[in-house]
Amino acid sequence: MIWFKSDNSSISDVYTTFPCRYEACLFAYKPDTEGVKKLFAECIRDAWAVPRPETKYHENEKPQEVLEKMIGASSAPSEIVLDPFCGGGSTLACCMTLGRRFVGVERDVANFNAASDRIVKLEAAINGEGADDDLPELEGDEGICDS
């Protein structure tokens, strides 16, 4: 699946590489007992033109609209979604709102902490214990992975 950045934005160095206006999403699934699985619960396009969201949790944050389409169409409630590069936790937060279980992996400590805080506060908001509009925002170089 492809996310086409309709606002022409890129976080690459435009002086050393061609700026990329899209990102590809890789996905996999665990077959059922018969060795197959219906991948999509609904008809879904393979590409969406959506502008880059305002950076709130991570420097390369994905739009919730795109994540909701991908996760909602390719998994059922209570299934597990793996995000091996969870950054600021956008995929994990989307999983929570869609009723999916999730596993997130992040090696950068600042990004891990930002994602963890985001998930804890979203869980509290879902349980009626507080609003989710006070989630931490990244400032300066906080959360930027240099490798």
Side-chain angles (χ1 to χ4, degrees), residues 81-132:
V81 174
L82 170 67
D83 186 351
F85 311 100
C86 71
S90 296
T91 299
L92 311 183
C94 188
C95 285
M96 286 185 76
T97 60
L98 293 175
R100 274 52 170 187
R101 296 181 296 157
F102 55 85
V103 174
V105 179
E106 178 56 54
R107 71 180 199 159
D108 181 83
V109 175
N111 286 337
F112 173 82
N113 290 335
S116 296
D117 289 345
R118 180 179 187 179
I119 295 306
V120 166
K121 290 181 180 180
L122 180 57
E123 184 175 38
I126 289 172
N127 293 331
E129 300 168 11
D132 64 347

Side-chain angles (χ1 to χ4, degrees), residues 106-108 144-147:
E106 178 56 54
R107 71 180 199 159
D108 181 83
I144 295 178
C145 182
D146 59 5
S147 57

Side-chain angles (χ1 to χ4, degrees), residues 3-23 50-53 55 59-61:
W3 164 35
F4 175 72
K5 301 170 189 173
S6 62
D7 59 353
N8 197 24
S9 61
S10 177
I11 64 168
S12 63
D13 181 353
V14 296
Y15 300 105
T16 60
T17 187
F18 295 103
C20 189
R21 292 188 63 195
Y22 71 91
E23 289 189 29
V50 176
R52 177 182 291 283
T55 300
E59 69 276 4
N60 192 24
E61 191 165 336

Side-chain angles (χ1 to χ4, degrees), residues 31-83:
D32 63 15
T33 56
E34 297 173 10
V36 295
K37 176 180 171 139
K38 180 180 173 185
L39 284 180
F40 305 115
E42 59 190 65
C43 180
I44 184 171
R45 302 256 182 237
D46 62 350
W48 301 281
V50 176
R52 177 182 291 283
E54 178 183 326
T55 300
K56 188 172 182 180
Y57 306 105
H58 187 269
E59 69 276 4
N60 192 24
E61 191 165 336
K62 307 299 183 274
Q64 289 294 303
E65 176 184 354
V66 171
L67 294 171
E68 286 172 3
K69 287 179 182 182
M70 290 190 294
I71 294 168
S74 61
S75 66
S78 298
E79 286 189 325
I80 299 171
V81 174
L82 170 67
D83 186 351

